[in-house]
Amino acid sequence: MRGLPAGPRVLLRRLREIMAEPISAQERLDKIVTQIAANVVAEVCSVYVLRSDGVLELYATEGLKAEAVHHAALRTGQGLVGTIAAEARPLNLPNAQMHPAYRYLPETGEEIYSSFLGVPILRAGRTLGVLVVQNRTHRTYYDEEVEALQTTAMVLAEMLAVGELERLAQPGTVIDLKRPITTTGVGLCEGVGLGHVVLHEPRVVVTALIAEDVEVEAQRLEQAIASLRLFVDDMLSRDDIAETGEHRDVLEAYRMFAHDRGWVRRMNEAIHNGLTAEAAVEKVQSDTRARLQRQTDPFLRDRLHDFDDLANRLLRVLMNKSHGPSAQELPRDAIIVARNMGAAELLDYDRERVRGLVLEEGGPTSHVTIVARALGIASVGRASNVLSLVENGDAVIVDGLAGEVHIRPTADVEAAYAEKVRFRAKRQEQYQLLRDKPAVTRDGQRIRLLMNAGLLVDLPHLEESGAEGIGLFRTELQFMIAERMPKLGEQRAFYGTVMEAAGELPITFRTLDIGGDKVLPYLRTAQEENPAMGWRAIRLGLDRPGLLRMQLRALLQAAAGRQLRIMLPMITDLWEVRETRELIDREIGHLKRHGHETPSELLIGAMIEVPSMLWQLDGLSKLVDFVSVGSNDLHQFMTASDRGNIMVAGRFDPLSRPFLRALRQIVEAAEKADLPVTLCGEMAGNPLMAMALIGLGYRSLSMSAAAVGPVKAMAMALDAGKVSETIRSLLDDQGNEDGVRTALADFAVAEDVPF
Ligand code: PEP
Ligand code: MG
């Protein structure tokens, strides 16, 4: 590989000096263009900066009329400069006037120039401007000159990113990099978060761009690539990485890319053209990102993402940077922005400082979402390309209800949201006033409001929300965030802590509901075509009794001398309850034989979340002490629509006749059998739906802690008798096809019930 010819190498050295000079931004830009023109032996060198209105404004020039600076302008897509900006690709033209996009700008006096070379000023794949050189004579610019110009463009991108060029913006204009942007994704966790961007994988800022010694840089790159490859190999040979499965394929692809010759060659070329190893990685990464943004094929996008991840790792190796911001660097109002992350990674952040979460990927039931919800962090997922739109420290607002992310919001958007937050806080204060009051309807019906939990971070909410207990403790969450299978002693200690925190209040522990979307990274399971209907929950528990028995033993031991409520998930047939009871009895026998104290009272319950249970309620009531309706799964299975698939998840309304009739059948059967029934799906936490449930006869509801206040306010304003009447007429009138939701909302408005 050749080194850079003397001219461009001198240019890069001069650039380094110019960057260090204590001069104004305009002077620096002017010096840069003069220097480039001299080195490339071009008559013209110009810098165009992209403004928020999509216009490329001339910011500096050598060779064009000086008066044109800050006046000459082209739209993105217009002319050669606009084409480069739109396509994020260089244009190298010996005869520019022949190009179909050529456009004459009289104010610059450029018609006499024939040859044209322009490169985009890119940062994280995003175009911030264009750098151009022009010559009178017909000439083709050398590859080395293109490279040198691209390197200079990187320097200019850095000047833009650190805000140096912002001060040059004409009154009334804003450079594109600082433009307010609203991007829409999918709301994952309700709430509004105002704060500042913290990139989960912070962009490594490359400051040394220009190589002192090409050979040294080439060696540094070689060593870094070798250590990257070792890292990927190590990852693949870890014991906890299963032999097969989707993640394995992803890692294998990583390994392949880490050995990709084209990638390594492009980085080496950049070094031989005068860049440091890290600047070379960044340059190739920026090109990849620009391609990524143009790419719509999801498969190719994924592959380009893999290269992006690898480049990040490589940069970290080269610059000795660790992963993620340290606790001290985290602002008090952090909005974490990531492509995706694991549940445990989110828990690594100081909860007190995290106001929001934005993910490029991340679906409503991904694990990180479950944890974000448990933590009450306003979250938005599927915010495509958000990583290329933000810089660390940018102001940002996350609206988890609307699924919107406002990046660098304008003052009025910020004010509107600040008002929204104040309003929510005020409402929260009102709920606080209700905290110690029992939820009793206007006509004297007592409604029991419980909360759902699963992690230690949930426990303080018990006190804060005024919930009367934990109606659903999802034990699998603790397993999901663990690095390895929790041992018996660890499980016992964990359940003990939960019981301690709950004091006298009841807790319903649900046995492990893993499988489906809830995956334990360290538990090998076969790939299934329909995991939600596959080998999950109690099915897995009964087939792998070692796992279930260990959990039962831990629960029984932790509850020594106190009440223990155990609930079984995904019960489909009665024999599953019988078999589990046998396991429990055996565990109790074991404890007694070994002189352990057993719970003072043991109550066993079943989830009703598989439709088959609707026709076995009578038999079930003889086997269990209580039931709880899992409306999330029951609705998914009754409507054959995957709750985790956003294409269908919101398609069918739970406030519909067939579903409400099913829920009524359950509550009536339970009442007849004198079987306590709770409903613990997401419906219970939605005031309008909770109103319908009270109308159907439900008197015990379990919901997220944040929903307890709003549901209590609704219940206390409600006449349960009247809503029962309304629901009855809506469900019994066979010919009526009118929307149940609308009718219920009308009822609530007429009755002054807040929802
Ligand atoms: C349900 O299915 O409604 C439920 C409460 O359980 P999970 O959401 O954990 O499946
Ligand atoms: Mg369920």
Side-chain angles (χ1 to χ4, degrees):
M1 231 173 281
R2 277 170 307 142
L4 199 64
R9 204 174 310 160
V10 171
L11 166 64
L12 297 183
R13 204 164 300 136
R14 270 298 292 141
L15 272 181
R16 197 161 49 191
E17 287 161 14
I18 295 170
M19 292 309 286
E21 284 181 36
I23 47 177
S24 75
Q26 188 67 55
E27 282 171 316
R28 202 184 314 283
L29 268 190
D30 292 343
K31 277 199 169 188
I32 290 174
V33 290
T34 311
Q35 199 62 49
I36 299 170
N39 274 272
V40 185
V41 198
E43 281 91 22
V44 173
C45 176
S46 315
V47 174
Y48 295 83
V49 172
L50 184 63
R51 294 194 322 225
S52 62
D53 54 0
V55 165
L56 290 144
E57 177 182 316
L58 184 66
Y59 260 55
T61 187
E62 164 73 24
L64 296 182
K65 287 185 192 160
E67 311 87 83
V69 172
H70 295 300
H71 292 289
L74 282 149
R75 296 214 135 265
T76 307
Q78 222 177 35
L80 299 176
V81 172
T83 303
I84 293 167
E87 294 182 359
R89 264 191 291 227
L91 271 183
N92 184 354
L93 308 167
N95 193 351
Q97 278 106 327
M98 299 299 283
H99 193 280
Y102 177 78
R103 192 166 174 275
Y104 169 57
L105 283 183
E107 65 271 35
T108 63
E110 72 171 340
E111 79 273 27
I112 47 171
Y113 302 105
S114 301
S115 311
F116 175 104
L117 166 63
V119 299
I121 300 171
L122 291 176
R123 181 164 173 88
R126 181 171 170 204
T127 302
L128 307 182
V130 176
L131 175 62
V132 172
V133 290
Q134 290 169 281
N135 279 76
R136 273 199 194 91
T137 50
H138 288 242
R139 63 163 288 199
T140 304
Y141 300 93
Y142 297 120
D143 285 352
E144 291 82 3
E145 288 170 326
V146 180
E147 287 279 349
L149 219 57
Q150 285 180 318
T151 306
T152 316
M154 284 171 70
V155 173
L156 295 171
E158 197 55 40
M159 279 177 81
L160 277 159
V162 299
E164 193 171 347
L165 298 191
E166 241 173 291
R167 279 166 255 142
L168 303 183
Q170 296 301 290
T173 67
V174 177
I175 63 171
D176 190 63
L177 184 72
K178 297 294 168 192
R179 170 168 55 108
I181 299 176
T182 295
T183 150
T184 307
V186 177
L188 298 178
C189 176
E190 250 190 64
V192 170
L194 278 85
H196 290 90
V197 169
V198 171
L199 293 171
H200 179 57
E201 299 247 323
R203 206 159 283 143
V204 180
V205 180
V206 178
T207 42
L209 293 171
I210 299 149
E212 302 245 2
D213 183 332
V214 169
E215 288 317 314
V216 169
E217 296 303 320
Q219 262 176 24
R220 288 182 63 224
L221 180 68
E222 198 181 314
Q223 281 164 4
I225 290 175
S227 105
L228 175 78
R229 287 174 180 164
L230 270 180
F231 162 80
V232 178
D233 288 346
D234 267 7
M235 209 160 57
L236 274 152
S237 59
R238 265 166 48 176
D239 289 347
D240 51 1
I241 301 284
E243 288 295 321
T244 54
E246 214 175 346
H247 63 285
R248 180 90 198 176
D249 299 343
V250 170
L251 293 179
E252 288 290 359
Y254 255 58
R255 170 141 67 184
M256 201 172 77
F257 292 141
H259 288 263
D260 186 275
R261 282 207 233 136
W263 185 53
V264 174
R265 178 178 43 75
R266 285 199 299 280
M267 291 189 290
N268 264 313
E269 272 172 13
I271 288 180
H272 282 84
N273 284 328
L275 292 187
T276 57
E278 46 272 49
V281 176
E282 195 186 35
K283 177 179 177 296
V284 174
Q285 181 184 33
S286 203
D287 294 343
T288 311
R289 283 195 176 154
R291 275 169 56 208
L292 183 66
Q293 282 172 29
R294 292 195 299 270
Q295 187 56 251
T296 48
D297 180 326
F299 177 76
L300 290 178
R301 283 183 62 88
D302 268 354
R303 299 290 72 83
L304 289 169
H305 265 311
D306 289 342
F307 275 118
D308 195 49
D309 282 353
L310 283 177
N312 273 336
R313 286 204 178 273
L314 208 47
L315 281 175
R316 287 211 163 75
V317 175
L318 280 164
M319 298 185 69
N320 267 332
K321 291 262 178 200
S322 60
H323 215 68
S326 68
Q328 300 91 306
E329 290 168 41
L330 200 65
R332 298 199 160 274
D333 57 355
I335 306 279
I336 315 290
V337 183
R339 188 178 142 209
N340 211 344
M341 68 167 82
E345 286 177 286
L346 180 58
L347 285 166
D348 281 344
Y349 285 96
D350 177 355
R351 168 69 194 98
E352 293 299 310
R353 290 169 178 249
V354 178
R355 298 265 181 283
L357 175 69
V358 182
L359 300 174
E360 284 199 349
E361 297 171 2
T365 57
S366 64
H367 311 147
V368 64
T369 306
I370 293 177
V371 172
R373 246 183 240 139
L375 298 172
I377 297 173
S379 312
V380 170
R382 309 251 170 126
S384 54
N385 277 338
V386 70
L387 281 173
S388 61
L389 302 176
V390 296
E391 294 284 336
N392 247 336
D394 274 347
V396 66
I397 298 173
V398 180
D399 183 340
L401 188 61
E404 282 174 0
V405 184
H406 302 275
I407 301 162
R408 298 175 292 273
T410 56
D412 20 326
V413 171
E414 212 164 284
Y417 270 99
E419 186 52 39
K420 211 166 170 171
V421 169
R422 265 196 298 277
F423 180 71
R424 279 176 72 96
K426 213 177 207 155
R427 272 222 316 242
Q428 228 49 54
E429 267 172 34
Q430 287 161 356
Y431 299 144
Q432 275 305 307
L433 295 177
L434 301 180
R435 200 187 68 159
D436 299 321
K437 295 194 174 139
V440 180
T441 62
R442 267 171 32 215
D443 53 342
Q445 292 290 317
R446 178 81 169 81
I447 315 293
R448 213 160 61 112
L449 302 183
L450 306 157
M451 69 171 238
N452 295 345
L455 296 168
L456 288 179
V457 290
D458 293 322
L459 299 179
H461 301 322
L462 197 49
E463 165 96 33
E464 288 157 19
S465 66
E468 295 172 66
I470 298 178
L472 167 63
F473 194 93
R474 291 180 163 104
T475 58
E476 62 276 5
L477 294 191
Q478 190 64 20
F479 282 68
M480 279 162 60
I481 62 167
E483 302 256 316
R484 51 173 177 75
M485 185 71 79
K487 297 197 168 78
L488 175 68
E490 290 165 337
Q491 290 189 45
R492 184 176 50 223
F494 175 67
Y495 301 135
T497 310
V498 178
M499 290 172 193
E500 213 51 56
E504 293 296 301
L505 299 177
I507 315 162
T508 300
F509 287 98
R510 181 173 72 182
T511 60
L512 280 179
D513 183 11
I514 40 180
D517 61 302
K518 299 170 188 165
V519 189
L520 302 188
Y522 44 82
L523 183 75
R524 285 185 198 186
T525 50
Q527 261 195 323
E528 297 178 272
E529 198 134 322
N530 282 308
M533 298 196 287
W535 194 55
R536 57 174 282 200
I538 199 70
R539 302 167 185 185
L540 192 150
L542 289 172
D543 288 359
R544 290 272 169 86
L547 193 61
L548 181 57
R549 277 177 57 186
M550 195 203 296
Q551 184 178 35
L552 293 170
R553 189 173 297 184
L555 283 166
L556 288 163
Q557 287 181 355
R562 61 210 294 174
Q563 188 201 57
L564 176 63
R565 299 168 61 87
I566 295 178
M567 180 155 72
L568 314 177
M570 282 288 284
I571 294 294
T572 311
D573 204 315
L574 299 182
W575 61 261
E576 293 167 313
V577 182
R578 282 192 209 102
E579 274 193 21
T580 315
R581 269 199 168 274
E582 273 169 34
L583 282 182
I584 296 172
D585 288 343
R586 255 199 278 162
E587 280 312 312
I588 292 176
H590 173 91
L591 287 181
K592 283 187 175 153
R593 273 198 308 283
H594 289 82
H596 287 288
E597 193 184 359
T598 51
S600 59
E601 185 186 20
L602 177 62
L603 299 170
I604 311 286
M607 292 281 291
I608 299 187
E609 51 184 347
V610 178
S612 65
M613 288 321 292
L614 262 80
W615 296 276
Q616 308 179 72
L617 290 165
D618 213 23
L620 182 68
S621 68
K622 299 186 178 73
L623 292 176
V624 295
D625 304 299
F626 64 93
V627 290
S628 192
V629 181
S631 55
N632 304 338
D633 275 317
L634 189 62
H635 187 254
Q636 138 166 289
F637 294 125
M638 277 193 61
T639 57
S641 50
D642 183 348
R643 62 191 263 201
N645 177 348
I646 55 166
M647 304 292 282
V648 294
R651 202 177 187 92
F652 304 105
D653 192 352
L655 285 183
S656 65
R657 286 186 176 76
F659 194 56
L660 292 179
R661 284 179 188 139
L663 294 179
R664 179 167 69 176
Q665 192 176 321
I666 297 168
V667 73
E668 284 178 358
E671 215 167 276
K672 212 166 101 197
D674 211 10
L675 186 65
V677 58
T678 297
L679 187 140
C680 63
E682 297 304 305
M683 279 183 91
N686 175 298
L688 187 71
M689 297 198 197
M691 183 186 87
L693 293 169
I694 294 174
L696 291 173
Y698 286 86
R699 294 293 175 264
S700 174
L701 303 171
S702 192
M703 62 202 72
S704 69
V708 172
V711 171
K712 191 185 275 187
M714 177 280 297
M716 290 172 82
L718 182 72
D719 184 320
K722 274 194 188 167
V723 75
S724 290
E725 263 317 301
T726 308
I727 285 262
R728 192 187 346 248
S729 70
L730 281 166
L731 297 193
D732 290 349
D733 183 353
Q734 295 295 338
N736 188 352
E737 296 262 315
D738 292 348
V740 176
R741 178 179 285 274
T742 320
L744 287 173
D746 289 347
F747 169 86
V749 171
E751 288 283 310
D752 219 3
V753 174
F755 67 95

